[in-house]
Amino acid sequence: YGDGVFYYSMARSIVFDRDLDCTNEARYYWHDETAVEAWRGPSGRLNNYCPVGSSLLFIPFILLAHLIAWGDGLSFVYPAAAALGASFLAWTAIVMVYRTFGDLAAAVGIWLATNVAYYMSIEPLTSHACSIFVVTSFALCRRGAFTQGCLLGLAVLVRPEHLILGLLADGRKKFPVIGIGILALV
């Protein structure tokens, strides 16, 4: 439901339809042609306002589900796999924080004192669980400018406002990292 339909539909459309037209997915999940028509744009395609980054992060989990289900990507197992994958990515971010800082209270605090637990369990098909993963990966990355720039680019594809994270890059790496992040938007 809600944004999750848009995020999952884009991933499903990339894998199974090999396009970005999410009309057939919206029809299937919404069961309401008037809702589908309300989102139709001048081109005839559905206006999908969600950035593609979370959908790209769902794809490996959808492909794993496909090894088991071997269906069309619409049945419950596929969005469930994407949702579990997003929750796994958020858990990975929390574990990365714990392993980097060795502070269990900080890791548990991130999980319970923020909305992370909600977006891991109630609305995992939105961008939030993926966002914590890519932002944590970027913030904890100690590799070169190219790797950090690629992580910034992925973060920007998840949520465009993450471009501001480029300001956290180390001095001389700042402009190459931001440049690679901007390329993700092009």
Side-chain angles (χ1 to χ4, degrees), residues 98-149:
Y98 173 71
R99 291 195 57 161
T100 301
F101 300 106
D103 189 347
L104 183 60
V108 171
I110 289 169
W111 180 46
L112 296 177
T114 66
N115 290 335
V116 173
Y118 174 81
Y119 286 111
M120 289 172 65
S121 57
I122 306 299
E123 291 197 56
L125 288 178
T126 60
S127 66
H128 303 285
C130 295
S131 182
I132 189 174
F133 172 73
V134 295
V135 168
T136 302
S137 298
F138 173 81
L140 299 180
C141 179
R142 298 293 170 244
R143 304 223 186 258
F146 180 76
T147 302
Q148 212 171 16

XYZ file of all heavy atoms in Angstrom, residues 98-149:
397
model
N 27.450 -0.756 15.473
C 27.960 -1.468 16.649
C 29.403 -1.931 16.439
O 30.255 -1.747 17.301
C 27.063 -2.666 16.989
C 27.660 -3.502 18.091
C 27.697 -3.028 19.395
C 28.215 -4.747 17.816
C 28.272 -3.780 20.419
C 28.790 -5.501 18.814
C 28.815 -5.021 20.115
O 29.394 -5.755 21.109
N 29.673 -2.518 15.283
C 31.030 -3.034 15.031
C 32.052 -1.912 14.919
O 33.205 -2.082 15.291
C 31.028 -3.887 13.772
C 30.244 -5.186 14.018
C 30.499 -6.173 12.989
N 31.928 -6.430 12.925
C 32.457 -7.487 12.382
N 31.672 -8.396 11.873
N 33.750 -7.666 12.321
N 31.652 -0.768 14.403
C 32.588 0.348 14.250
C 32.902 0.998 15.592
O 34.053 1.305 15.888
C 32.014 1.410 13.286
O 31.779 0.790 12.025
C 32.975 2.571 13.115
N 31.872 1.203 16.397
C 32.057 1.954 17.642
C 32.067 1.074 18.888
O 32.433 1.544 19.970
C 30.980 3.039 17.776
C 31.012 4.024 16.642
C 30.033 3.989 15.667
C 32.035 4.951 16.527
C 30.066 4.878 14.608
C 32.083 5.837 15.472
C 31.090 5.802 14.503
N 31.649 -0.167 18.775
C 31.636 -1.074 19.913
C 30.682 -0.634 21.020
O 30.867 -0.998 22.173
N 29.671 0.118 20.657
C 28.752 0.675 21.643
C 27.360 0.081 21.420
O 26.620 0.521 20.542
C 28.729 2.200 21.517
C 27.968 2.882 22.633
O 27.240 2.192 23.373
O 28.097 4.114 22.749
N 27.022 -0.910 22.236
C 25.734 -1.575 22.102
C 24.579 -0.616 22.380
O 23.550 -0.662 21.702
C 25.654 -2.786 23.035
C 24.384 -3.628 22.940
C 24.225 -4.200 21.531
C 24.402 -4.735 23.976
N 24.755 0.276 23.345
C 23.691 1.237 23.675
C 23.385 2.136 22.480
O 22.229 2.449 22.211
C 24.079 2.068 24.889
N 24.408 2.550 21.749
C 24.194 3.394 20.570
C 23.441 2.621 19.488
O 22.511 3.149 18.870
C 25.527 3.899 20.026
N 23.827 1.370 19.267
C 23.159 0.560 18.243
C 21.697 0.311 18.608
O 20.809 0.459 17.771
C 23.904 -0.759 18.056
N 21.450 -0.044 19.859
C 20.069 -0.271 20.302
C 19.287 1.041 20.269
O 18.112 1.075 19.913
C 20.043 -0.917 21.711
C 18.632 -0.953 22.283
C 20.627 -2.323 21.649
N 19.948 2.141 20.630
C 19.302 3.451 20.582
C 18.874 3.828 19.179
O 17.778 4.359 18.976
N 19.721 3.555 18.196
C 19.354 3.831 16.802
C 18.122 3.023 16.424
O 17.210 3.518 15.768
C 20.530 3.521 15.853
C 21.632 4.552 16.040
C 20.068 3.467 14.401
C 22.930 4.200 15.348
N 18.089 1.784 16.869
C 16.980 0.905 16.516
C 15.686 1.309 17.222
O 14.633 1.409 16.596
C 17.355 -0.530 16.852
C 16.301 -1.539 16.538
C 15.574 -1.643 15.395
C 15.858 -2.584 17.390
N 14.697 -2.707 15.478
C 14.860 -3.301 16.696
C 16.219 -3.003 18.661
C 14.215 -4.404 17.239
C 15.590 -4.097 19.197
C 14.594 -4.780 18.489
N 15.750 1.584 18.521
C 14.531 1.798 19.290
C 14.156 3.261 19.516
O 12.988 3.566 19.742
C 14.640 1.093 20.651
C 14.745 -0.431 20.585
C 14.923 -1.003 21.986
C 13.531 -1.035 19.899
N 15.116 4.166 19.493
C 14.815 5.570 19.790
C 14.556 6.392 18.532
O 14.343 7.593 18.607
C 15.954 6.193 20.592
N 14.592 5.752 17.390
C 14.275 6.431 16.136
C 13.120 5.668 15.477
O 12.583 4.731 16.055
C 15.492 6.439 15.179
O 15.778 5.101 14.770
C 16.725 7.049 15.850
N 12.778 6.042 14.275
C 11.719 5.353 13.543
C 12.206 4.116 12.787
O 11.447 3.530 12.025
C 11.065 6.307 12.544
C 10.249 7.363 13.229
O 9.774 7.169 14.339
N 10.073 8.488 12.572
N 13.454 3.728 12.990
C 14.010 2.609 12.235
C 13.204 1.329 12.456
O 12.881 0.619 11.498
C 15.501 2.393 12.586
C 16.043 1.136 11.941
C 16.318 3.591 12.155
N 12.864 1.019 13.698
C 12.109 -0.213 13.967
C 10.773 -0.204 13.231
O 10.339 -1.231 12.690
C 11.896 -0.383 15.471
N 10.125 0.936 13.181
C 8.853 1.060 12.460
C 9.040 0.771 10.972
O 8.288 0.001 10.376
C 8.271 2.463 12.669
C 7.042 2.733 11.845
C 5.791 2.271 12.261
C 7.121 3.429 10.646
C 4.650 2.502 11.507
C 5.984 3.674 9.884
C 4.760 3.205 10.321
O 3.638 3.432 9.566
N 10.065 1.399 10.380
C 10.269 1.220 8.939
C 10.883 -0.131 8.592
O 10.876 -0.535 7.441
C 11.102 2.372 8.372
C 10.287 3.634 8.283
C 10.547 4.719 9.102
C 9.211 3.716 7.409
C 9.780 5.874 9.027
C 8.424 4.858 7.333
C 8.720 5.927 8.139
O 7.941 7.057 8.075
N 11.401 -0.837 9.586
C 11.869 -2.201 9.356
C 10.723 -3.207 9.427
O 10.817 -4.285 8.844
C 12.920 -2.585 10.398
C 14.239 -1.881 10.242
S 15.336 -2.212 11.634
C 15.613 -3.956 11.460
N 9.667 -2.856 10.138
C 8.618 -3.838 10.390
C 7.269 -3.479 9.775
O 6.617 -4.322 9.181
C 8.450 -4.033 11.899
O 8.156 -2.791 12.525
N 6.832 -2.244 9.889
C 5.503 -1.859 9.428
C 5.523 -1.404 7.968
O 4.660 -1.772 7.184
C 4.907 -0.740 10.320
C 4.917 -1.154 11.788
C 3.506 -0.363 9.851
C 4.114 -2.388 12.114
N 6.506 -0.601 7.586
C 6.590 -0.086 6.210
C 7.984 -0.295 5.602
O 8.652 0.658 5.216
C 6.237 1.405 6.187
C 4.784 1.671 6.486
C 4.379 3.062 6.057
O 4.563 3.385 4.874
O 3.882 3.795 6.918
N 8.416 -1.551 5.497
C 9.766 -1.789 4.975
C 9.914 -1.520 3.475
O 11.037 -1.390 2.996
C 10.017 -3.261 5.291
C 8.654 -3.855 5.346
C 7.755 -2.776 5.899
N 8.811 -1.432 2.740
C 8.920 -1.194 1.298
C 9.003 0.287 0.941
O 8.929 0.638 -0.235
C 7.744 -1.848 0.556
C 7.801 -3.373 0.491
C 6.579 -3.927 -0.208
C 9.069 -3.848 -0.189
N 9.181 1.149 1.917
C 9.445 2.563 1.637
C 10.962 2.744 1.593
O 11.713 1.790 1.736
C 8.807 3.471 2.705
O 9.363 3.145 3.979
C 7.299 3.304 2.735
N 11.419 3.958 1.442
C 12.859 4.187 1.278
C 13.633 4.274 2.587
O 14.858 4.289 2.580
C 13.079 5.482 0.486
O 12.625 6.588 1.251
N 12.962 4.295 3.719
C 13.638 4.605 4.973
C 14.639 3.546 5.419
O 15.743 3.886 5.867
C 12.601 4.877 6.061
C 11.654 5.972 5.691
N 12.019 7.301 5.722
C 10.383 5.939 5.237
C 10.994 8.034 5.326
N 9.992 7.230 5.019
N 14.282 2.277 5.336
C 15.204 1.217 5.739
C 16.425 1.205 4.812
O 17.560 1.043 5.270
C 14.502 -0.137 5.726
N 16.193 1.392 3.536
C 17.300 1.472 2.583
C 18.148 2.708 2.844
O 19.372 2.682 2.708
C 16.764 1.483 1.152
S 15.946 -0.042 0.676
N 17.504 3.785 3.237
C 18.197 5.039 3.508
C 19.177 4.894 4.653
O 20.323 5.354 4.562
C 17.174 6.139 3.807
O 17.828 7.361 4.035
N 18.761 4.262 5.743
C 19.694 4.104 6.865
C 20.896 3.262 6.449
O 22.022 3.515 6.868
C 19.020 3.540 8.139
C 20.004 3.633 9.309
C 18.520 2.147 7.941
C 19.458 3.250 10.651
N 20.665 2.282 5.586
C 21.766 1.453 5.116
C 22.771 2.258 4.285
O 23.971 2.215 4.547
C 21.232 0.271 4.305
C 22.310 -0.522 3.632
C 23.134 -1.354 4.367
C 22.515 -0.430 2.265
C 24.151 -2.074 3.761
C 23.518 -1.145 1.640
C 24.340 -1.979 2.400
N 22.295 2.994 3.302
C 23.237 3.705 2.427
C 23.905 4.875 3.146
O 25.082 5.146 2.919
C 22.592 4.161 1.095
C 22.181 2.957 0.263
C 21.441 5.095 1.299
N 23.184 5.558 4.020
C 23.785 6.677 4.751
C 24.846 6.159 5.715
O 25.938 6.732 5.816
C 22.699 7.502 5.488
C 23.316 8.473 6.473
C 21.839 8.239 4.483
N 24.547 5.075 6.409
C 25.536 4.482 7.322
C 26.750 3.986 6.549
O 27.888 4.208 6.967
C 24.897 3.336 8.134
O 23.786 3.847 8.855
C 25.890 2.726 9.099
N 26.507 3.325 5.430
C 27.626 2.842 4.602
C 28.504 3.995 4.155
O 29.738 3.913 4.207
C 27.099 2.090 3.377
O 26.379 0.962 3.765
N 27.880 5.081 3.720
C 28.647 6.254 3.285
C 29.418 6.855 4.461
O 30.609 7.135 4.353
C 27.727 7.310 2.668
C 28.439 8.591 2.349
C 29.182 8.710 1.191
C 28.397 9.664 3.228
C 29.870 9.881 0.900
C 29.070 10.838 2.946
C 29.808 10.944 1.784
N 28.751 7.052 5.567
C 29.375 7.729 6.713
C 30.534 6.922 7.290
O 31.516 7.506 7.769
C 28.337 8.009 7.792
N 30.451 5.607 7.238
C 31.495 4.769 7.825
C 32.552 4.336 6.822
O 33.524 3.689 7.195
C 30.869 3.544 8.490
C 29.906 3.839 9.642
C 29.343 2.541 10.211
C 30.575 4.668 10.726
N 32.380 4.695 5.564
C 33.324 4.303 4.510
C 34.657 5.011 4.698
O 34.716 6.236 4.799
C 32.752 4.620 3.130
S 33.865 4.201 1.781
N 35.719 4.239 4.744
C 37.073 4.807 4.866
C 37.907 4.491 3.633
O 39.116 4.501 3.667
C 37.759 4.263 6.120
C 37.060 4.638 7.403
C 37.162 6.141 7.645
N 36.300 6.541 8.731
C 35.267 7.358 8.605
N 34.943 7.835 7.434
N 34.542 7.690 9.634
N 37.264 4.206 2.557
C 37.959 3.887 1.313
C 38.191 5.166 0.518
O 37.928 6.266 0.986
C 37.145 2.885 0.519
C 36.837 1.635 1.309
C 37.011 0.419 0.473
N 36.588 -0.766 1.184
C 37.428 -1.598 1.745
N 38.712 -1.386 1.706
N 36.987 -2.677 2.362
N 38.600 5.028 -0.725
C 38.922 6.164 -1.562
C 37.709 6.956 -2.020
O 36.555 6.602 -1.752
N 38.001 8.022 -2.750
C 36.956 8.935 -3.221
C 35.982 8.230 -4.160
O 34.782 8.511 -4.132
C 37.581 10.133 -3.926
N 36.470 7.299 -4.983
C 35.583 6.623 -5.922
C 34.532 5.793 -5.178
O 33.336 5.874 -5.481
C 36.365 5.737 -6.894
C 35.485 5.032 -7.879
C 34.934 5.716 -8.955
C 35.172 3.691 -7.719
C 34.101 5.084 -9.862
C 34.338 3.045 -8.617
C 33.803 3.742 -9.688
N 34.982 4.990 -4.209
C 34.043 4.161 -3.444
C 33.054 5.027 -2.682
O 31.847 4.777 -2.698
C 34.803 3.251 -2.455
O 35.714 2.447 -3.196
C 33.851 2.361 -1.674
N 33.564 6.064 -2.032
C 32.674 6.944 -1.280
C 31.729 7.680 -2.226
O 30.559 7.882 -1.908
C 33.488 7.930 -0.441
C 32.794 8.300 0.829
C 33.665 9.107 1.771
O 34.699 9.651 1.385
N 33.235 9.188 3.008
N 32.215 8.054 -3.392
C 31.354 8.708 -4.382
C 30.259 7.787 -4.885
O 29.116 8.203 -5.070
